[in-house]
Amino acid sequence: MSAGKDASIGLIAALGVAEFRAMWAAEALSQAGDQLARVALSVLVYERTSSAGLTALAYGLTYLPTVLGGTLLGRLADVFPRRGVMVVSDIFRMAVAAAMAIPGMPFVWLCVLLIALTIAGGPARAAQLALLPAVLSGGSEHRRRRGSSAVDRRDDDQNEQLYVAGLAVRNITIQSAQVAGFAVGGLVIALIGPYWALVADAMTFLASALLVWWGVRPRPAPAAGRFRGKHAELQEREVSAQSSCAPGPKSSAWLSWVGAGAVAVWAVPGGAVLFGLKMLAGLYVLPEGLAAPYAAQLGGGSVVIGLLLAADPIGSVVGAWAYARWVPAAWKPQMTGWLAAGAGVPLIGLLARPGVVWSVALIAASGLLSTPYQMQATAMVTRAVPDGVRGQVSGLLSTALVAVQGLGIVVAGAVAQVTGTAATLGCAAVVGAGLGVAGALAWSRVAGAVAQPRTT
């Protein structure tokens, strides 16, 4: 069987795992509800305040507190059973979303509830991503724990590709939900109203909790969140050394809680390079954050803004599918750095303000190249760290990604006030592509030394 055919089995094989199907369906429901809720909140806040600023604040609060949730609470996925973390988080978010649907809720309390809702998603996301390697490992993880000699490099490669396929399915679902949510959210809210849309969001969290509870088998907490093994002892000593420099026991506890994921990533050969490549998303997300002013430069209105916003998700869906379907497994690790660099190249064309059709095509092409390398980098780092810190590592990766994207948009917005939107987008793409080339060269020197998947 050809390598391309081997790659094509991935998506089907991932969906063939019953536990993964349950987790996938649960997240699909939650994502659809979240997108509907974002539109509903925008409508609700604007109807009640007539303030564009407060409406933007409410919309931003659906993203920004994720940084706190992933950073501060990601370790819960390493201390408690991960299925339980996902279920409890969903039940909590169901209650919060239902409270937000109470008519007449004061704006301040609506924001407080929204922050709580978003923060609670951090540990759930960390638990899900940390659990996926075990769910998509077949019997190899069990044999490895027993020390079976039957587990070899081929098993690890197959498991990694199955995990990447699972991430591809997950990404396709998230991006499709984003496009569908923005496309039909306004119509749904026009039919049922913003309050009932929030009730529907609450019901998706309940359905998600039930799917995870009944569809994912219980597993014990992963070594109570402790490091183990020779590789892990190095990480533990580094955490201890960093903590010893902190002023007092509270700071030491803080570093031990928050910093363990970063130490684990840096301990993986090439982990820092992969982390840096992922952070290039802070430059590649700018067409989304500056869609409105760029559309104005093109002479377009709300329709053009919608097309620009939809371009990257559509490209991401195509890229994730094509990567899992056609790219041979042996090529994927080596392609990671060059895909990261290549994702910036199409956006350089925005310097010329090439018109609506070409702009949409260029942004979509960037998404097509960016999503595969993001998935592959996540898979290699997550599977290389010990299972006892995967929750913290998953929380760190997702949190850092959200933070760098938000920071990038804020900085680019300020720069665009001076240089113009098209110039800002094009120059940021040049910087991203250049940094991507440097990262690709650095990654090519260490790619072969990436640590084997860890389970302890």
Side-chain angles (χ1 to χ4, degrees):
M1 186 177 293
S2 67
K5 184 65 175 175
D6 288 339
S8 71
I9 297 175
L11 291 177
I12 300 172
L15 289 171
V17 178
E19 287 186 288
F20 176 76
R21 285 201 307 275
M23 295 171 65
W24 167 72
E27 184 170 34
L29 281 172
S30 293
Q31 286 292 329
D34 284 349
Q35 291 303 117
L36 181 62
R38 286 189 175 102
V39 179
L41 282 169
S42 297
V43 173
L44 181 62
V45 172
Y46 191 74
E47 284 180 351
R48 292 175 54 183
T49 67
S50 299
S51 169
L54 292 177
T55 302
L57 173 63
Y59 189 85
L61 288 176
T62 65
Y63 288 99
L64 294 181
T66 301
V67 176
L68 294 177
T71 302
L72 301 180
L73 303 180
R75 193 184 176 189
L76 295 176
D78 294 329
V79 175
F80 299 101
R82 287 165 179 161
R83 184 186 72 156
V85 171
M86 289 188 287
V87 170
V88 170
S89 175
D90 279 340
I91 295 298
F92 176 81
R93 288 186 289 174
M94 177 199 71
V96 173
M100 292 170 63
I102 298 175
M105 177 69 66
F107 176 75
V108 173
W109 282 108
L110 193 65
C111 289
V112 170
L113 290 171
L114 184 56
I115 290 172
L117 181 77
T118 309
I119 288 177
R125 192 174 299 105
Q128 182 200 54
L129 291 173
L131 188 58
L132 279 179
V135 167
L136 294 174
S137 65
S140 296
E141 296 287 348
H142 176 68
R143 293 196 300 271
R144 185 180 288 109
R145 285 195 295 269
R146 297 181 59 185
S148 171
S149 60
V151 179
D152 55 15
R153 176 66 180 175
R154 184 172 60 182
D155 293 321
D156 294 333
D157 288 343
Q158 290 174 348
N159 288 338
E160 180 172 303
Q161 295 315 310
L162 188 60
Y163 180 42
V164 172
L167 292 178
V169 172
R170 180 177 178 272
N171 183 274
I172 289 171
T173 302
I174 292 173
Q175 299 292 347
S176 298
Q178 183 176 348
V179 174
F182 287 138
V184 305
L187 176 61
V188 172
I189 290 167
L191 294 174
I192 66 176
Y195 289 108
W196 282 109
L198 291 172
V199 172
D201 187 33
M203 293 301 98
T204 63
F205 286 126
L206 175 61
S208 174
L210 293 174
L211 281 168
V212 171
W213 181 259
W214 291 110
V216 179
R217 69 178 178 84
R219 292 173 173 83
R226 297 292 295 171
F227 295 117
R228 293 190 177 184
K230 181 178 179 181
H231 174 75
E233 289 172 3
L234 171 62
Q235 298 171 332
E236 196 166 39
R237 287 198 299 271
E238 292 184 19
V239 171
S240 177
Q242 292 180 22
S243 300
S244 65
C245 299
K250 291 185 179 180
S251 296
S252 298
W254 173 269
L255 286 174
S256 296
W257 182 271
V258 177
V263 172
V265 171
W266 258 248
V268 173
V273 177
L274 291 173
F275 182 83
L277 290 173
K278 286 183 67 66
M279 294 306 102
L280 292 178
L283 296 170
Y284 299 156
V285 75
L286 299 185
E288 176 182 336
L290 300 180
Y294 183 68
Q297 282 196 335
L298 296 178
S302 57
V303 174
V304 174
I305 294 173
L307 291 172
L308 294 174
L309 288 173
D312 185 86
I314 291 173
S316 295
V317 169
V318 175
W321 176 81
Y323 185 74
R325 174 67 176 84
W326 297 110
V327 177
W331 294 8
K332 290 179 178 178
Q334 302 297 331
M335 290 175 61
T336 304
W338 297 113
L339 285 173
V345 174
L347 299 180
I348 297 174
L350 298 181
L351 271 169
R353 285 184 285 179
V356 175
V357 174
W358 277 106
S359 293
V360 169
L362 292 171
I363 295 170
S366 177
L368 185 147
L369 296 172
S370 180
T371 294
Y373 95 78
Q374 288 282 348
M375 294 188 311
Q376 187 66 38
T378 297
M380 289 188 291
V381 171
T382 304
R383 297 189 74 246
V385 300
D387 186 53
V389 292
R390 277 181 182 160
Q392 296 164 84
V393 168
S394 298
L396 170 68
L397 294 178
S398 60
T399 294
L401 202 58
V402 171
V404 75
Q405 288 175 322
L407 180 62
I409 290 172
V410 170
V411 173
V415 174
Q417 291 290 106
V418 179
T419 65
T421 304
T424 300
L425 295 177
C427 291
V430 171
V431 173
L435 292 174
V437 169
L441 294 173
W443 171 244
S444 66
R445 291 193 292 268
V446 298
V450 174
Q452 293 298 306
R454 302 293 300 243
T455 61
T456 58

